[in-house]
Amino acid sequence: EFIHHYIYLGFKNIFIGVNNSEDQTLLILEKIRERYPLVHIVNVDPVVRPFMQWGCYHRLFDIALECSTSTHCLIVDIDEFWIADPFPTKIDDFIRSHGHFDAFSFHWIEALDDILFDKPLSRESKYKLSPWVKSLFSYETPLSRIGVHGPILNGHERNLTVRLGDAVN
């Protein structure tokens, strides 16, 4: 569901970190990759124990930085779905429509009574706006490090443009 959502929205490279998997996850991912070579499967077991989620994100980002053909990066968990208004705005259209930015931060909505494999936002349900943000950011943005909810930017290198909705910096 997660992978097909991002393919549908036009993401060109999808890097999936697999860790502690004892079910059929890897087999399913390999079948999807056969059809969609833009899906990259990365074993993050070596970094998950010493560095937890932060280490996994760093490992995936390092690989993406070397081989991605995309201009921007979005780091999300497998249960997080990026949706632009109006849906289904494609990622390239979203980036083009907002002009230059180093990072575009946005809140997400938590489904409080989520049902597995249900269509996102498709039924009467309870939702809550998360106080946290995730960030879409340019591969050219100077970074200090990758954080769990987005990059820690290195503003000492140059002036940076950060957007949160229509607000800038």
Side-chain angles (χ1 to χ4, degrees):
E1 182 180 38
F2 168 87
I3 296 168
H4 294 288
H5 173 82
Y6 285 96
I7 291 170
Y8 176 71
L9 292 177
F11 284 74
K12 294 178 189 72
N13 298 272
I14 301 171
F15 296 85
I16 306 288
V18 178
N19 67 292
N20 300 325
S21 179
E22 296 178 0
D23 57 14
Q24 298 298 313
T25 298
L26 195 53
L27 179 63
I28 293 167
L29 287 173
E30 288 170 351
K31 285 184 178 188
I32 292 171
R33 185 178 58 189
E34 285 176 16
R35 174 108 189 250
Y36 301 101
L38 58 93
V39 174
H40 307 268
I41 305 166
V42 180
N43 177 2
V44 292
D45 277 333
V47 295
V48 77
R49 282 200 176 85
F51 303 106
M52 302 189 313
Q53 186 179 19
W54 174 83
C56 295
Y57 284 168
H58 258 276
R59 178 71 182 126
L60 291 167
F61 179 75
D62 288 346
I63 292 169
L65 191 58
E66 289 179 19
C67 63
S68 177
T69 58
S70 301
T71 59
H72 290 74
C73 179
L74 173 65
I75 298 174
V76 292
D77 293 337
I78 201 145
D79 62 348
E80 297 170 342
F81 294 80
W82 177 84
I83 298 173
D85 186 26
F87 182 77
T89 299
K90 306 296 188 212
I91 186 64
D92 287 344
D93 294 334
F94 178 85
I95 291 169
R96 253 191 314 279
S97 71
H98 286 90
H100 169 76
F101 60 87
D102 291 291
F104 195 110
S105 298
F106 50 89
H107 294 279
W108 68 88
I109 296 174
E110 298 172 8
L112 301 178
D113 56 351
D114 199 22
I115 298 170
L116 286 178
F117 305 110
D118 195 15
K119 293 179 182 175
L121 308 175
S122 67
R123 64 188 175 356
E124 291 296 320
S125 186
K126 294 181 182 178
Y127 297 96
K128 178 177 89 172
L129 182 66
S130 173
W132 298 97
V133 296
K134 291 280 183 161
S135 296
L136 172 69
F137 57 98
S138 169
Y139 279 113
E140 295 179 5
T141 298
L143 305 177
S144 292
R145 67 174 242 187
I146 299 296
V148 173
H149 294 279
I152 309 301
L153 306 178
N154 183 353
H156 297 293
E157 288 193 27
R158 62 177 171 83
N159 289 333
L160 300 173
T161 302
V162 179
R163 294 182 177 271
L164 180 58
D166 291 331
V168 178
N169 285 25

